[in-house]
Amino acid sequence: MVYHPGRWWQGCAQAMKLPHAPAKADEPMLTLDKTLSRADKLKLMEMLWDDLSANAKELAPPDWHGAALDTAAQAHAAGQAVFVDWPQAKRQLRGG
């Protein structure tokens, strides 16, 4: 897969089916080509991120992010924040 600045969609078109009218309401608009190697999937992800982050000022975080940060800061200031190490956090997030 070759990245061409300004033409990032070419790599995506190779890896994904282009949007189409779904046959069923629950059918995804895009599907990933499962035959891509891990390296190509990472390159595709990097290309998408580069394109999205090129206009970072347009990527305003959702309102709930600010509210969640405020809640966390208030809990920390009140001595009520609970911290866990990263391995434990991953286990909790994965339901384990």
Side-chain angles (χ1 to χ4, degrees), residues 1-11 14 47:
M1 189 176 333
V2 177
Y3 174 65
H4 299 282
R7 297 188 323 192
W8 64 270
W9 55 268
Q10 288 179 336
Q14 292 172 5
M47 289 171 17

Side-chain angles (χ1 to χ4, degrees), residues 15-96:
M16 301 177 146
K17 296 178 185 174
L18 295 177
H20 62 284
K24 300 176 184 171
D26 60 346
E27 181 184 347
M29 291 295 288
L30 293 174
T31 56
L32 183 63
D33 179 352
K34 299 292 185 180
T35 63
L36 284 174
S37 69
R38 182 178 186 91
D40 283 343
K41 287 177 184 177
L42 289 170
K43 287 177 191 173
L44 178 60
M45 204 165 48
E46 289 173 2
M47 289 171 17
L48 288 169
W49 183 254
D50 287 345
D51 182 71
L52 288 171
S53 63
N55 299 311
K57 292 179 182 176
E58 296 174 12
L59 297 174
D63 291 339
W64 68 266
H65 278 193
L69 289 172
D70 289 344
T71 300
Q74 290 170 5
H76 183 265
Q80 299 171 340
V82 177
F83 298 93
V84 296
D85 62 23
W86 184 235
Q88 182 180 350
K90 287 193 291 187
R91 283 192 302 276
Q92 288 175 347
L93 290 169
R94 293 175 178 157

